[in-house]
Amino acid sequence: MSRFFATGSDSESEESSSADEITPKAPGATFKQSLLLSDDEEDTKRVVRSAKDKRFEELTNLIKTIRNAMKIRDMAKCLEEFEQLCRAFLKSKTIVDKEGVPPFYIRLLADLEDYLNQLWEDKEGKKKMNKNNAKALSTLRQKIRKYNRDYETEIAAYKENPQESADEEEEKEAEESASSSDSEEETGDDGVSAKAFLKKKPEAPPEASKFLKSAKGSGDESSSSSDDDDDEDWGSDSVDSGSESSDEGEGKSASLAVVFLKKTQGAEKSSEKKLGKKKKPKKKERLEEEAEEEGGEEVEGGWEKVKGGAPMVKEKPKMFAKGTEINVPVVVKKLNEILQARGKKGTDRAAQIELLHALANIAAENNLGQGIMVKIKFNIIASLYDYNPNLAAFMKPDMWKKCLDCIDELLDILFENNNIFIGENIAEDSESLIASDQPFRVRGCILTLVERMDEEFTKIMQNTDPHSQEYVDNLKDEGHVCGIIDRLLEYMENKGSTEEICRIYLRRIMHTYYKFDYKAHRRSLGLQGESKSEQDQEESEGEDSAVIMDRLCKFIYAKDRTDRIRTCAILCHIYHHALHSRWYQARDLMLMSHLQDNIQHADPPVQILYNRTMVQLGICAFRQGMIKDAHNALLDIQSSGRAKELLGQGLLMRNMQERNAEQEKIEKRRQVPFHMHINLELLECVYLVSAMLLEIPYMAAHEFDARRRMISKQFHHQLRVGERQPLLGPPESMREHVVAASKAMKMGDWRTCHSFIINEKMNSKVWDLFPETQRVREMLVRKIQEESLRTYLFTYSSVYDSISMGTLSEMFELEIATVHSIISKMIINEELMASLDQPTQTVVMHRTEPTSLQNMALQLAEKLGSLVENNERVFDLKQGVYGGYFNRDQKGGYQQNKSYNRDQKGGYQQNKGGYQRGGYRNQNHQNNY
């Protein structure tokens, strides 16, 4: 039972603002009873707090949480706690109206707004934030700006003098806590308060003072007299305690002193804690004074002050003891000691790299030979790769530079010393590191290190913002990477196995295949450099990239034993051919390789490379005017609607729910760096224009055909989207331009179609991106003229009895020979029922075209036939047997005995005479476009 319930109190203050309250006790028997209580029960205090204290404590706790979240830049936590703080402040509205807005609340609002503005201006920091924090930052910034409008005057006053307002707040808090702690003590029977009683300052009993002096040691005297406020605080408690027990006898003085001393020490501790909180020095001078004051205590007690949780700087361990003879076995032993810590938890990887560098310097100073240097370099490079334990993380710029330099140094050593043999098959026991007549033998694989370096370079490019200057700076390192690969290639050609040569050749190919060789292109066109220096540079240039690719790929075709390297080499070779407009070589290599038959069994990176190659092949065919080949090559990629994902150029948001976080990380690692991307808008434009040149004439030729098939679903979708638009304005996007051009071509208006396809906007978006821009434009104009002529003849042939080829030549601005060729092909393929009158140069139309009524009758016959077929099948399923008018053939179809025979295409042909479906438009014709 606590002392609070031991004796009843005369009165309780309901309006108290103090945190501690103890009821006074009558002297006498109650005091004896209190001496029998345990320490825990004696320290228990009943806490009575006012509504103001409760509300303000809730606010201060939330503010502390917000400030902690600000320190670690956790914006999501800041936003969540700020919303709770606003709700808590709204609950405290009645108290705030009475007392005013607390200064600590204004201070938080001002600090938080400044902090958010600072974060918002830090562009680099915002890029490094995760998605949740970035979103929370923008939301919280808007909320705080809106919220602070109600407190503009208070925030302005705080910002004018933040130090004074902070000091005033501390003084106010100190006064409130002091006054509340004093005023909350209940008055005695005589009506005198504890505060008034303190002013009298009566002397303490001599026994208690003597006991106090003896109880406190010499070490405590200095600390007890350090501050006047402390003396007053615990002195007041001693006076109270003495006054309560003043009527006790001298025989009880010892027990009184024990109780008094305990209370004094407790009061002293609590007052020290309060003062420590209230009087936290904020300036550097105060901190320095405190450090000086505590200097003596550190010496006496043996304690050591640690600042702010920062780890203590330890001296670097010495590599070798003084006087140790440094030789190869000693260095190898030390190297193994350093490597034993590799991969263990708590190992400082940066320090490990520094130790290895120091060991390399010691080995170089003592001339221990190049064998041990090669071994140490191998381990330094491996430690640099291990610096990031996370596979998805990329190397920091300083580590990347060190890695390139170390590999260069290692290659220098290997080129300078032909007597060093390295390999993965050399066991550590059989290594020969000591300089002697025998050649050095070192365990390690330089090819693996270079391959890992190449992968790290790809990761750096994947994780850099492609639209920043940093990406351009990182891309400049590709020259250094290619230089290292070339040096290793030269080394491997002399000392490597066939398998290793194939691997390094593939690395060289992967850095070459996607680059357009402008210098070779200029030489092929017979152009020379504008200045003398450019001409000299072109003459001094080595072999063309085509020659390099041909040499490297053919070696892999002949020597490689793994399907994957050969597949990658073939795809890169095709890509390079297609990029440089060598259409026939690229097409033949693709058809001979038969990769399209089993590419679905390859791993995802190879499939991405295959998709990129097919797309480049389609674009090459388009540049050469092979419209149908271009459409066929691009059909699979474009019809899926996932071109971006299939080419490894980004992930689609709509598929995010189908994959978990681990799968997303794996797919991000497969992405192609930005400088290797294929322009998706150019790709879509090439596909839609190819589809337009194929689909529009086909639609005109099969206008009344119920079984007309679609060549391109995506193109038809774009046409339907254009037709659904309520208001047709001038085209804006690339798709709208193609749709408008298609409508013009359908009417046979080639000039309007040409103006929509080739104009300044389309040139800047698409056509100027091709190497031979003018040639592509000329090819497009020619194709538009020819296909518009075919569409015109299909659409309006029923209107003409005959038409002059000279008229058609003028209408479409084509040579008469070209018009003659196009019409002849249409007649041969039975697309156009006409004949050529050579003397008059006219096309005479044959009236074998069915009228619109006959067309409708044929369509009706086809639909009725399919209806009867379906009906009979349903009847057969129910009854099992039927006969009579129809007989079932072996293939499961139905043939009419007398009237019509069903042909393979699903049309109907009359046996004896009349119209033959497919006669005036043969569906089995071979298109030559």
Side-chain angles (χ1 to χ4, degrees):
M1 186 176 178
S2 84
R3 289 188 306 171
F4 184 84
F5 297 104
T7 56
S9 61
D10 294 334
S11 62
E12 282 187 10
S13 173
E14 291 180 357
E15 299 174 357
S16 64
S17 60
S18 168
D20 305 330
E21 182 173 351
I22 305 172
T23 57
K25 294 158 288 294
T30 56
F31 183 73
K32 292 177 186 175
Q33 202 173 6
S34 69
L35 293 178
L36 301 174
L37 296 171
S38 65
D39 293 345
D40 295 336
E41 288 177 333
E42 198 171 322
D43 290 339
T44 306
K45 298 178 183 180
R46 175 64 180 266
V47 178
V48 179
R49 293 182 299 166
S50 66
K52 174 187 170 185
D53 287 344
K54 288 178 184 176
R55 293 299 182 194
F56 280 16
E57 185 181 355
E58 185 183 1
L59 294 177
T60 50
N61 287 338
L62 288 170
I63 287 171
K64 280 180 188 175
T65 312
I66 291 173
R67 290 196 183 275
N68 288 338
M70 287 163 64
K71 287 176 187 174
I72 60 173
R73 292 195 172 195
D74 190 351
M75 291 296 102
K77 184 72 173 173
C78 274
L79 177 60
E80 181 186 345
E81 295 297 326
F82 179 73
E83 289 172 350
Q84 289 186 17
L85 181 68
C86 293
R87 288 194 289 269
F89 188 75
L90 198 61
K91 290 179 185 175
S92 313
K93 193 170 185 308
T94 54
I95 295 168
V96 171
D97 292 342
K98 190 189 297 182
E99 301 287 337
V101 182
F104 61 82
Y105 190 73
I106 297 297
R107 183 167 54 191
L108 175 84
L109 294 180
D111 292 349
L112 185 58
E113 187 175 14
D114 293 343
Y115 174 75
L116 294 175
N117 290 336
Q118 184 182 354
L119 278 186
W120 190 261
E121 290 168 4
D122 184 11
K123 303 294 182 186
E124 294 297 324
K126 275 168 63 180
K127 288 176 187 174
K128 293 176 183 175
M129 280 186 182
N130 61 29
K131 189 177 178 181
N132 290 338
N133 273 352
K135 187 177 179 182
L137 173 63
S138 60
T139 308
L140 183 56
R141 182 168 171 267
Q142 291 174 355
K143 284 193 174 186
I144 195 74
R145 288 171 67 184
K146 187 176 179 182
Y147 191 81
N148 282 5
R149 287 175 194 160
D150 300 334
Y151 306 100
E152 286 179 349
T153 54
E154 291 91 339
I155 291 173
Y158 166 73
K159 286 185 176 179
E160 282 176 9
N161 204 339
Q163 189 60 40
E164 279 188 14
S165 61
D167 293 342
E168 283 174 10
E169 184 184 339
E170 286 177 1
E171 288 172 11
K172 188 175 178 182
E173 286 176 5
E175 286 172 7
E176 284 178 359
S177 60
S179 63
S180 61
S181 62
D182 291 339
S183 62
E184 289 303 322
E185 292 184 5
E186 294 181 5
T187 58
D189 295 335
D190 55 353
V192 181
S193 67
K195 194 171 182 181
F197 183 75
L198 273 177
K199 289 178 183 176
K200 299 177 183 179
K201 291 186 180 178
E203 293 181 0
E207 292 87 352
S209 62
K210 284 177 186 177
F211 187 85
L212 274 174
K213 286 180 182 178
S214 62
K216 287 193 174 286
S218 60
D220 293 337
E221 287 176 5
S222 59
S223 60
S224 64
S225 61
S226 61
D227 198 17
D228 295 339
D229 295 338
D230 293 348
D231 294 340
E232 287 179 8
D233 287 344
W234 65 263
S236 64
D237 288 338
S238 68
V239 171
D240 290 342
S241 306
S243 63
E244 284 177 0
S245 59
S246 59
D247 53 349
E248 290 292 312
E250 290 181 0
K252 298 176 182 177
S253 60
S255 61
L256 172 64
V258 171
V259 176
F260 184 79
L261 181 59
K262 182 174 178 63
K263 287 185 180 180
T264 305
Q265 287 174 341
E268 185 179 351
K269 285 178 184 176
S270 62
S271 63
E272 282 177 2
K273 285 180 183 176
K274 286 180 184 178
L275 286 171
K277 287 181 182 177
K278 292 172 193 171
K279 298 185 179 181
K280 275 188 181 176
K282 292 189 176 181
K283 296 181 181 179
K284 290 182 181 178
E285 292 82 359
R286 293 183 187 176
L287 289 171
E288 289 171 3
E289 288 172 9
E290 217 177 50
E292 288 173 5
E293 287 174 5
E294 291 176 358
E297 292 177 11
E298 288 175 10
V299 174
E300 289 173 8
W303 293 94
E304 203 170 326
K305 186 173 182 181
V306 179
K307 291 185 179 178
M312 295 178 66
V313 180
K314 296 180 181 178
E315 292 183 2
K316 292 181 183 177
K318 292 181 180 178
M319 197 64 71
F320 298 105
K322 194 172 182 181
T324 305
E325 183 184 353
I326 296 173
N327 51 30
V328 172
V330 172
V331 172
V332 170
K333 184 181 177 183
K334 193 68 184 177
L335 176 63
N336 291 330
E337 285 178 13
I338 296 170
L339 294 179
Q340 280 174 359
R342 179 180 173 188
K344 290 185 179 178
K345 190 176 181 182
T347 304
D348 188 351
R349 299 183 185 87
Q352 198 176 26
I353 294 167
E354 289 179 11
L355 287 173
L356 290 171
H357 276 293
L359 192 63
N361 293 333
I362 290 171
E365 288 169 5
N366 290 274
N367 296 322
L368 298 181
Q370 298 299 333
I372 190 67
M373 285 298 295
V374 169
K375 187 172 180 62
I376 294 172
K377 290 289 181 188
F378 268 124
N379 287 293
I380 289 174
I381 297 166
S383 298
L384 287 167
Y385 291 146
D386 287 347
Y387 188 75
N388 286 327
N390 187 0
L391 189 64
F394 61 98
M395 292 180 80
K396 299 294 181 286
D398 53 343
M399 291 294 172
W400 171 244
K401 298 294 182 191
K402 282 182 185 177
C403 180
L404 292 180
D405 294 340
C406 281
I407 293 175
D408 267 333
E409 291 169 9
L410 182 57
L411 286 171
D412 289 339
I413 295 171
L414 293 176
F415 273 109
E416 290 168 6
N417 301 274
N418 292 323
N419 61 340
I420 299 177
F421 291 96
I422 56 174
E424 290 176 316
N425 53 355
I426 298 174
E428 289 190 5
D429 299 338
S430 61
E431 282 184 327
S432 175
L433 304 175
I434 302 172
S436 63
D437 298 336
Q438 298 294 325
F440 292 108
R441 290 168 59 81
V442 184
R443 176 178 173 80
C445 181
I446 182 69
L447 177 58
T448 307
L449 296 180
V450 172
E451 285 180 334
R452 177 69 187 272
M453 173 206 69
D454 196 24
E455 291 168 6
E456 289 293 338
F457 176 72
T458 304
K459 281 199 283 187
I460 289 172
M461 302 312 294
Q462 285 172 343
N463 290 277
T464 309
D465 179 15
H467 306 293
S468 64
Q469 183 62 34
E470 184 185 0
Y471 191 91
V472 178
D473 296 337
N474 289 339
L475 191 57
K476 291 176 184 175
D477 289 335
E478 193 184 16
H480 197 172
V481 171
C482 291
I484 289 174
I485 291 173
D486 282 335
R487 293 183 67 192
L488 181 61
L489 188 147
E490 184 184 346
Y491 178 80
M492 284 295 174
E493 284 175 347
N494 297 325
K495 294 194 173 184
S497 64
T498 306
E499 183 186 352
E500 289 174 331
I501 293 173
C502 288
R503 283 164 63 188
I504 194 62
Y505 274 9
L506 182 62
R507 290 286 163 184
R508 185 69 181 88
I509 289 167
M510 296 298 282
H511 280 278
T512 308
Y513 81 97
Y514 63 91
K515 296 174 183 171
F516 187 81
D517 194 345
Y518 283 98
K519 291 174 182 173
H521 178 63
R522 288 173 63 84
R523 283 197 290 270
S524 67
L525 296 177
L527 301 175
Q528 293 184 348
E530 296 177 359
S531 61
K532 183 70 175 172
S533 60
E534 286 182 4
Q535 294 176 13
D536 295 340
Q537 186 180 357
E538 286 178 5
E539 289 174 4
S540 64
E541 284 286 336
E543 52 190 354
D544 293 345
S545 61
V547 179
I548 296 172
M549 288 288 294
D550 196 57
R551 177 171 59 85
L552 300 180
C553 290
K554 283 183 177 176
F555 181 87
I556 292 176
Y557 301 157
K559 305 288 186 183
D560 179 56
R561 296 176 185 174
T562 63
D563 288 338
R564 189 182 187 280
I565 292 179
R566 185 168 61 251
T567 302
C568 291
I570 291 171
L571 291 173
C572 292
H573 204 183
I574 295 168
Y575 190 105
H576 194 263
H577 279 316
L579 188 64
H580 293 82
S581 300
R582 294 188 288 272
W583 157 249
Y584 291 103
Q585 293 95 313
R587 184 199 62 183
D588 294 345
L589 190 54
M590 175 61 82
L591 293 176
M592 286 190 296
S593 65
H594 295 285
L595 288 176
Q596 59 272 23
D597 298 336
N598 53 10
I599 193 65
Q600 67 271 14
H601 302 301
D603 53 339
V606 178
Q607 289 186 17
I608 289 172
L609 180 58
Y610 174 80
N611 292 337
R612 285 166 53 80
T613 303
M614 286 303 297
V615 163
Q616 198 61 247
L617 202 58
I619 295 173
C620 174
F622 181 82
R623 288 200 303 267
Q624 300 302 312
M626 313 285 184
I627 302 300
K628 191 163 188 177
D629 291 318
H631 181 269
N632 292 337
L634 301 177
L635 180 63
D636 289 339
I637 300 295
Q638 285 298 120
S639 61
S640 66
R642 298 186 301 130
K644 185 177 182 182
E645 193 170 358
L646 292 174
L647 295 174
Q649 297 182 187
L651 301 178
L652 297 178
M653 295 302 293
R654 66 184 179 190
N655 293 335
M656 284 296 183
Q657 297 174 354
E658 299 172 7
R659 62 173 78 93
N660 56 33
E662 191 61 33
Q663 288 174 333
E664 187 177 342
K665 285 180 184 176
I666 292 170
E667 290 193 16
K668 281 184 177 177
R669 287 202 294 271
R670 293 176 187 150
Q671 300 304 300
V672 177
F674 183 77
H675 63 280
M676 298 169 64
H677 281 194
I678 296 170
N679 191 321
L680 293 176
E681 190 173 20
L682 180 144
L683 174 62
E684 187 178 9
C685 181
V686 166
Y687 174 75
L688 289 177
V689 170
S690 301
M692 177 190 77
L693 294 173
L694 294 175
E695 191 79 67
I696 297 299
Y698 181 81
M699 288 168 65
H702 298 80
E703 188 175 0
F704 301 106
D705 192 352
R707 296 180 181 272
R708 183 181 67 198
R709 62 185 176 84
M710 285 190 293
I711 295 175
S712 169
K713 288 184 179 179
Q714 190 182 5
F715 177 72
H716 275 274
H717 173 70
Q718 296 300 332
L719 287 180
R720 284 195 295 271
V721 169
E723 288 169 1
R724 283 200 298 265
Q725 286 181 353
L727 180 64
L728 283 177
E732 293 289 337
S733 65
M734 175 271 300
R735 293 173 182 173
E736 291 175 0
H737 276 88
V738 176
V739 170
S742 302
K743 290 178 180 177
M745 181 183 278
K746 196 184 284 188
M747 305 302 294
D749 187 358
W750 77 271
R751 289 184 178 84
T752 307
C753 178
H754 168 245
S755 67
F756 281 129
I757 292 294
I758 298 174
N759 51 53
E760 288 184 5
K761 188 177 284 188
M762 290 292 282
N763 285 345
S764 61
K765 282 186 176 182
V766 180
W767 310 126
D768 286 345
L769 302 178
F770 287 122
E772 299 174 359
T773 307
Q774 192 57 38
R775 196 166 67 83
V776 173
R777 288 201 199 99
E778 290 170 1
M779 179 274 298
L780 266 176
V781 173
R782 185 84 171 177
K783 288 291 178 185
I784 288 171
Q785 289 171 333
E786 292 175 1
E787 298 305 324
S788 297
L789 171 60
R790 284 165 48 79
T791 307
Y792 185 83
L793 289 173
F794 282 135
T795 307
Y796 300 110
S797 61
S798 59
V799 179
Y800 288 97
D801 286 328
S802 63
I803 185 170
S804 169
M805 283 194 287
T807 306
L808 292 175
S809 175
E810 290 174 7
M811 283 175 64
F812 294 95
E813 295 184 9
L814 290 168
E815 298 85 1
I816 292 180
T818 307
V819 174
H820 187 279
S821 170
I822 292 169
I823 294 174
S824 299
K825 285 179 185 175
M826 292 173 71
I827 293 171
I828 291 168
N829 294 328
E830 297 184 8
E831 295 174 333
L832 185 66
M833 292 297 105
S835 58
L836 288 173
D837 188 10
Q838 196 67 32
T840 57
Q841 292 287 309
T842 57
V843 183
V844 179
M845 303 296 175
H846 297 170
R847 287 300 175 185
T848 57
E849 290 290 325
T851 63
S852 59
L853 180 62
Q854 290 168 337
N855 271 319
M856 291 172 67
L858 286 170
Q859 289 180 29
L860 180 62
E862 287 179 2
K863 289 178 181 177
L864 285 173
S866 62
L867 180 64
V868 170
E869 261 186 39
N870 292 333
N871 192 30
E872 292 293 344
R873 281 195 187 123
V874 172
F875 188 75
D876 185 22
L877 289 173
K878 288 184 178 180
Q879 301 298 327
V881 179
Y882 66 93
Y885 188 71
F886 283 95
N887 287 327
R888 192 169 191 178
D889 60 3
Q890 292 179 356
K891 295 182 180 178
Y894 297 92
Q895 293 181 345
Q896 193 176 358
N897 291 338
K898 299 177 182 178
S899 177
Y900 287 92
N901 287 330
R902 182 86 180 260
D903 61 3
Q904 292 179 356
K905 287 289 185 179
Y908 289 87
Q909 292 181 346
Q910 196 173 358
N911 290 341
K912 297 180 179 179
Y915 292 104
Q916 185 177 1
R917 184 68 169 168
Y920 59 95
R921 290 176 190 143
N922 189 2
Q923 295 184 352
N924 296 324
H925 69 270
Q926 296 293 325
N927 289 333
N928 292 326
Y929 50 92

